[in-house]
Amino acid sequence: MNTVQRGKLAIAAAAIGVGLLSVTGCGFVNAQQTSHQYSASDGVRADLGKLQLRNMLIVASGEKEPGRVIGAVFNQSSSDATLTLSGANGAQTEIPVKAMSETYLNDTADAAILSTAGVIPGGLTPVTIRSGSDSATINVPVVDGTLPEYAKYLPSPSATPSGSATPGATGTETSSASPSASTSTAAGH
């Protein structure tokens, strides 16, 4: 092999090396998105003891209007639980969740209504979630009926806040809940 061929081979090897470094270096410098849990929907997720909340959001036509809570609640414990949601201006609703099952807050379940949404649609409102001695505050998105998939969930302005959602209308009840498999179907999406 003569010097010209060796020079061309060295340049080609250097170009391949630089190309490989730039391709493989991306994973080294940037975080892998698949290693981070996040809500891949309009709603938010939260865990409260043995309760797992998925795709939770509030549908309301205005800040001071009633807001319907939609999403899914999974109970991983062997006993029934009641999830209490407390929002703006004393708005409150309760959601019973049977042991080792899930409750879907959608059009097949009784509505969980807060007397006021707390913020204009498009914003986040702080909601305190409680079950037994466990408590946390999460920021829940408020949406309106602009998107057709949420229009059917808008409560009427005269809607009365609900004390609880009926546990008999929880969707599918199973002997073991699988939140990771059901997350994408939360709230009927």
Side-chain angles (χ1 to χ4, degrees):
M1 189 181 291
N2 64 29
T3 21
V4 173
Q5 289 176 331
R6 277 191 228 154
K8 287 180 182 180
L9 185 60
I11 290 173
I16 291 172
V18 169
L20 286 175
L21 283 175
S22 66
V23 171
T24 59
C26 290
F28 181 73
V29 176
N30 298 321
Q32 294 177 359
Q33 190 60 34
T34 56
S35 65
H36 300 287
Q37 289 189 5
Y38 65 96
S39 296
S41 63
D42 296 332
V44 295
R45 59 183 280 142
D47 294 329
L48 183 67
K50 295 283 188 174
L51 296 180
Q52 298 174 332
L53 290 71
R54 300 295 183 260
N55 199 23
M56 302 299 286
L57 55 92
I58 298 170
V59 183
S61 58
E63 177 179 4
K64 297 180 193 287
E65 300 298 323
R68 181 174 181 174
V69 180
I70 62 173
V73 183
F74 299 91
N75 185 351
Q76 299 295 309
S77 74
S78 57
S79 57
D80 293 351
T82 300
L83 175 67
T84 303
L85 293 103
S86 302
N89 303 321
Q92 184 170 306
T93 189
E94 292 183 344
I95 304 163
V97 187
K98 297 253 186 231
M100 300 303 290
S101 75
E102 58 273 343
T103 297
Y104 294 100
L105 304 171
N106 56 27
D107 54 349
T108 61
D110 286 344
I113 305 286
L114 294 170
S115 60
T116 179
V119 298
I120 60 170
L124 296 171
T125 187
V127 173
T128 301
I129 54 176
R130 257 187 341 269
S131 182
S133 62
D134 295 325
S135 174
T137 299
I138 58 174
N139 288 319
V140 178
V142 177
V143 298
D144 59 13
T146 303
L147 296 173
E149 60 265 26
Y150 297 125
K152 66 182 177 182
Y153 297 112
L154 275 171
S156 65
S158 61
T160 46
S162 61
S164 65
T166 303
T170 61
T172 307
E173 294 183 10
T174 60
S175 60
S176 67
S178 175
S180 59
S182 302
T183 301
S184 62
T185 60
H189 298 299

